[in-house]
Amino acid sequence: MGHSELWVGVLTALTALGASWITARATSRAALAQARTAARAQALREQRERRRSTYREMMGCAHAFFEVTWQIDAVDAAPDREAGDRLLAQMYENMAPAIGNLNRANHEVRLDGPAAVSDASERVRQAARHVQPRLKALAGATTPEPRRAYDAAFTDFRDAYTTFIGLARQALEAEEM
């Protein structure tokens, strides 16, 4: 009888060790999976915040460009042609750095993506670049065509910007899920 009690004890001990090893292994795998999930969630949060910041910067640069273009109202209200042309020249000078800032912000958006937002950002940049020569053409213009061309280019810029905002919002909302 003593022998079988020893075997029962050994078998019980081996069973306990086996169960302990299996439990430890399962616990280790679960902890590793949880750590990977937490790391991925943190990386996604960081990516989302980086994108949000980049999109805000692009929007801020676009707003600065808008501030330059909105001065067209002052040109329209100028008391004479020379005063209007001086305002147009000032707008043109202010537009160059605004476009430079849009270029820089666009490059950041292109790095952070996603592709649809990046493409929309590029369309904003290109549309702003099309406004600039149309603004210059307004100085000394004697026909309404240059103003129509400027207004159309500005509308294209505004529409591209609106599209950018919508796509950026969608990209950020998709990351929340």
Side-chain angles (χ1 to χ4, degrees), residues 88-100:
L88 286 170
Q90 185 179 27
M91 283 176 67
Y92 187 80
E93 285 180 32
N94 294 337
M95 195 170 276
I99 290 174

Side-chain angles (χ1 to χ4, degrees), residues 107-166:
H107 293 310
E108 292 297 318
V109 172
R110 293 188 70 79
L111 284 174
D112 284 335
V117 178
S118 175
D119 292 345
S121 175
E122 177 63 18
R123 284 190 294 278
V124 170
R125 184 183 79 84
Q126 289 296 332
R129 292 184 65 213
H130 286 114
V131 170
Q132 190 178 27
R134 276 115 189 124
L135 175 69
K136 188 172 188 172
L138 290 176
T142 57
T143 64
E145 285 79 24
R147 178 57 186 259
R148 281 191 217 121
Y150 171 83
D151 290 342
F154 173 79
T155 299
D156 290 345
F157 172 77
R158 186 193 62 220
D159 293 347
Y161 177 66
T162 302
T163 299
F164 168 78
I165 291 172

Side-chain angles (χ1 to χ4, degrees), residues 8-65:
V8 169
V10 169
L11 186 57
T12 302
L14 288 175
T15 302
L17 284 173
S20 175
W21 179 79
I22 290 171
T23 301
R25 189 170 171 184
T27 302
S28 173
R29 284 185 180 172
L32 182 59
Q34 185 177 11
R36 284 182 183 150
T37 300
R40 177 145 171 74
Q42 179 62 28
L44 288 173
R45 272 191 300 277
E46 289 171 5
Q47 177 188 50
R48 183 175 190 278
E49 288 308 311
R50 186 177 59 250
R51 282 181 174 173
R52 178 185 295 276
S53 175
T54 302
Y55 299 166
R56 270 197 187 122
E57 178 64 22
M58 181 66 179
M59 291 168 64
C61 291
H63 183 75
F65 184 84

Side-chain angles (χ1 to χ4, degrees), residues 71-88:
Q71 295 172 11
I72 198 73
D73 292 337
V75 172
D76 292 341
D80 57 44
R81 175 126 189 124
E82 291 79 28
D85 285 348
R86 278 194 305 274
L87 287 170
L88 286 170

